[in-house]
Amino acid sequence: MKELFHGIRCVFLDRDGVLNRKAAEGSYIGRWIDFHLLPGVEAAIAALNRSGRRVIVVSNQRGVALGLYTPADVEAIHAHLEQHLAAHGARIDAFYYCPHDLEECDCRKPKTGLFRQAFRDFPENSAENSLVVGDSLSDIEAARNLGMPSIFIEGDADTRKSGADRASEYADAVAGSLAEAVTLLD
Ligand SMILES: [Mg+2]
Ligand SMILES: [Zn+2]
């Protein structure tokens, strides 16, 4: 495992289901009041920060395209999250999200536009030194599409998504939480 993830300098985190409890299938999180961090997330991000790795959130936010919330709402959640993390000595270096509907852009995961944008903004990072942590098949497929290793976060049986079996198979490792995933890195 340590060999597998050797040389990782940048960790891409999916948001819903990795940082915060994901909404029921078909529901979306558009307000901070509905954003519930999962246990150990602050400490896990702080550990990544201390290790000198870049931490980037990449998120599909189709709720914008569906008119359920606005880009300003997404950004307000991210601002609250940053504030909350700062109080715990943790920091996310950048957020990227796709506000589009299915099949209308090149950034909705499993497409790779969000990652390619991040690599343009942080030229010292690339698919060669990055890792993806996600709880959806689309996260793991996006990683594969760029040749990046990935860790699949397995949800509870009751919120387990379709595609979880394939995601477990494609991913380089499976973990129960971000906190557990981070322990695989060092
Ligand atoms: Mg997710
Ligand atoms: Zn998009």
PDB file of all heavy atoms in Angstrom, residues 54-66:
ATOM      1  N   ARG A  54      -0.856  18.914  -1.151  1.00  0.00           N
ATOM      2  CA  ARG A  54      -1.937  19.823  -1.526  1.00  0.00           C
ATOM      3  C   ARG A  54      -3.256  19.076  -1.358  1.00  0.00           C
ATOM      4  O   ARG A  54      -3.334  17.869  -1.629  1.00  0.00           O
ATOM      5  CB  ARG A  54      -1.732  20.276  -2.962  1.00  0.00           C
ATOM      6  CG  ARG A  54      -2.728  21.295  -3.410  1.00  0.00           C
ATOM      7  CD  ARG A  54      -2.201  22.095  -4.590  1.00  0.00           C
ATOM      8  NE  ARG A  54      -1.347  23.166  -4.137  1.00  0.00           N
ATOM      9  CZ  ARG A  54      -0.118  23.418  -4.605  1.00  0.00           C
ATOM     10  NH1 ARG A  54       0.401  22.666  -5.535  1.00  0.00           N
ATOM     11  NH2 ARG A  54       0.578  24.410  -4.136  1.00  0.00           N
ATOM     12  N   VAL A  55      -4.288  19.799  -0.913  1.00  0.00           N
ATOM     13  CA  VAL A  55      -5.608  19.196  -0.706  1.00  0.00           C
ATOM     14  C   VAL A  55      -6.626  19.985  -1.529  1.00  0.00           C
ATOM     15  O   VAL A  55      -6.808  21.189  -1.316  1.00  0.00           O
ATOM     16  CB  VAL A  55      -6.009  19.214   0.783  1.00  0.00           C
ATOM     17  CG1 VAL A  55      -7.385  18.586   0.967  1.00  0.00           C
ATOM     18  CG2 VAL A  55      -4.966  18.487   1.634  1.00  0.00           C
ATOM     19  N   ILE A  56      -7.262  19.299  -2.474  1.00  0.00           N
ATOM     20  CA  ILE A  56      -8.182  19.970  -3.401  1.00  0.00           C
ATOM     21  C   ILE A  56      -9.511  19.224  -3.416  1.00  0.00           C
ATOM     22  O   ILE A  56      -9.538  17.991  -3.535  1.00  0.00           O
ATOM     23  CB  ILE A  56      -7.571  20.002  -4.828  1.00  0.00           C
ATOM     24  CG1 ILE A  56      -6.269  20.808  -4.816  1.00  0.00           C
ATOM     25  CG2 ILE A  56      -8.566  20.589  -5.820  1.00  0.00           C
ATOM     26  CD1 ILE A  56      -5.563  20.873  -6.167  1.00  0.00           C
ATOM     27  N   VAL A  57     -10.592  19.969  -3.301  1.00  0.00           N
ATOM     28  CA  VAL A  57     -11.929  19.373  -3.365  1.00  0.00           C
ATOM     29  C   VAL A  57     -12.453  19.487  -4.794  1.00  0.00           C
ATOM     30  O   VAL A  57     -12.400  20.566  -5.398  1.00  0.00           O
ATOM     31  CB  VAL A  57     -12.881  20.059  -2.362  1.00  0.00           C
ATOM     32  CG1 VAL A  57     -14.323  19.615  -2.587  1.00  0.00           C
ATOM     33  CG2 VAL A  57     -12.449  19.755  -0.934  1.00  0.00           C
ATOM     34  N   VAL A  58     -12.949  18.383  -5.324  1.00  0.00           N
ATOM     35  CA  VAL A  58     -13.534  18.354  -6.674  1.00  0.00           C
ATOM     36  C   VAL A  58     -14.922  17.718  -6.572  1.00  0.00           C
ATOM     37  O   VAL A  58     -15.061  16.577  -6.154  1.00  0.00           O
ATOM     38  CB  VAL A  58     -12.676  17.549  -7.668  1.00  0.00           C
ATOM     39  CG1 VAL A  58     -11.490  18.345  -8.152  1.00  0.00           C
ATOM     40  CG2 VAL A  58     -12.232  16.235  -7.089  1.00  0.00           C
ATOM     41  N   SER A  59     -15.930  18.446  -6.978  1.00  0.00           N
ATOM     42  CA  SER A  59     -17.290  18.052  -6.639  1.00  0.00           C
ATOM     43  C   SER A  59     -18.247  18.262  -7.811  1.00  0.00           C
ATOM     44  O   SER A  59     -18.184  19.287  -8.486  1.00  0.00           O
ATOM     45  CB  SER A  59     -17.718  18.932  -5.442  1.00  0.00           C
ATOM     46  OG  SER A  59     -18.976  18.617  -4.994  1.00  0.00           O
ATOM     47  N   ASN A  60     -19.096  17.282  -8.048  1.00  0.00           N
ATOM     48  CA  ASN A  60     -20.209  17.468  -8.996  1.00  0.00           C
ATOM     49  C   ASN A  60     -21.355  18.131  -8.242  1.00  0.00           C
ATOM     50  O   ASN A  60     -21.800  17.593  -7.221  1.00  0.00           O
ATOM     51  CB  ASN A  60     -20.706  16.120  -9.532  1.00  0.00           C
ATOM     52  CG  ASN A  60     -19.783  15.504 -10.560  1.00  0.00           C
ATOM     53  OD1 ASN A  60     -18.850  16.148 -11.053  1.00  0.00           O
ATOM     54  ND2 ASN A  60     -20.038  14.244 -10.896  1.00  0.00           N
ATOM     55  N   GLN A  61     -21.838  19.257  -8.719  1.00  0.00           N
ATOM     56  CA  GLN A  61     -22.954  19.934  -8.045  1.00  0.00           C
ATOM     57  C   GLN A  61     -24.067  20.181  -9.053  1.00  0.00           C
ATOM     58  O   GLN A  61     -24.387  21.310  -9.430  1.00  0.00           O
ATOM     59  CB  GLN A  61     -22.474  21.236  -7.375  1.00  0.00           C
ATOM     60  CG  GLN A  61     -21.525  21.000  -6.207  1.00  0.00           C
ATOM     61  CD  GLN A  61     -22.149  20.181  -5.070  1.00  0.00           C
ATOM     62  OE1 GLN A  61     -23.360  20.231  -4.853  1.00  0.00           O
ATOM     63  NE2 GLN A  61     -21.339  19.397  -4.362  1.00  0.00           N
ATOM     64  N   ARG A  62     -24.658  19.086  -9.480  1.00  0.00           N
ATOM     65  CA  ARG A  62     -25.715  19.143 -10.478  1.00  0.00           C
ATOM     66  C   ARG A  62     -26.943  19.887  -9.966  1.00  0.00           C
ATOM     67  O   ARG A  62     -27.778  20.346 -10.748  1.00  0.00           O
ATOM     68  CB  ARG A  62     -26.085  17.701 -10.849  1.00  0.00           C
ATOM     69  CG  ARG A  62     -27.086  17.586 -11.947  1.00  0.00           C
ATOM     70  CD  ARG A  62     -27.349  16.104 -12.242  1.00  0.00           C
ATOM     71  NE  ARG A  62     -28.453  15.950 -13.159  1.00  0.00           N
ATOM     72  CZ  ARG A  62     -29.433  15.068 -12.988  1.00  0.00           C
ATOM     73  NH1 ARG A  62     -29.423  14.262 -11.935  1.00  0.00           N
ATOM     74  NH2 ARG A  62     -30.398  14.991 -13.865  1.00  0.00           N
ATOM     75  N   GLY A  63     -27.082  20.006  -8.650  1.00  0.00           N
ATOM     76  CA  GLY A  63     -28.191  20.758  -8.076  1.00  0.00           C
ATOM     77  C   GLY A  63     -28.268  22.177  -8.611  1.00  0.00           C
ATOM     78  O   GLY A  63     -29.350  22.769  -8.670  1.00  0.00           O
ATOM     79  N   VAL A  64     -27.134  22.737  -9.030  1.00  0.00           N
ATOM     80  CA  VAL A  64     -27.143  24.081  -9.632  1.00  0.00           C
ATOM     81  C   VAL A  64     -27.901  24.031 -10.954  1.00  0.00           C
ATOM     82  O   VAL A  64     -28.802  24.852 -11.198  1.00  0.00           O
ATOM     83  CB  VAL A  64     -25.697  24.598  -9.838  1.00  0.00           C
ATOM     84  CG1 VAL A  64     -25.711  25.904 -10.621  1.00  0.00           C
ATOM     85  CG2 VAL A  64     -24.988  24.775  -8.492  1.00  0.00           C
ATOM     86  N   ALA A  65     -27.552  23.057 -11.798  1.00  0.00           N
ATOM     87  CA  ALA A  65     -28.219  22.934 -13.103  1.00  0.00           C
ATOM     88  C   ALA A  65     -29.714  22.660 -12.926  1.00  0.00           C
ATOM     89  O   ALA A  65     -30.535  23.080 -13.748  1.00  0.00           O
ATOM     90  CB  ALA A  65     -27.578  21.812 -13.922  1.00  0.00           C
ATOM     91  N   LEU A  66     -30.055  21.984 -11.848  1.00  0.00           N
ATOM     92  CA  LEU A  66     -31.463  21.651 -11.604  1.00  0.00           C
ATOM     93  C   LEU A  66     -32.212  22.804 -10.953  1.00  0.00           C
ATOM     94  O   LEU A  66     -33.422  22.712 -10.705  1.00  0.00           O
ATOM     95  CB  LEU A  66     -31.552  20.404 -10.713  1.00  0.00           C
ATOM     96  CG  LEU A  66     -30.955  19.128 -11.311  1.00  0.00           C
ATOM     97  CD1 LEU A  66     -31.042  17.969 -10.320  1.00  0.00           C
ATOM     98  CD2 LEU A  66     -31.651  18.759 -12.624  1.00  0.00           C
TER      99      LEU A  66
END
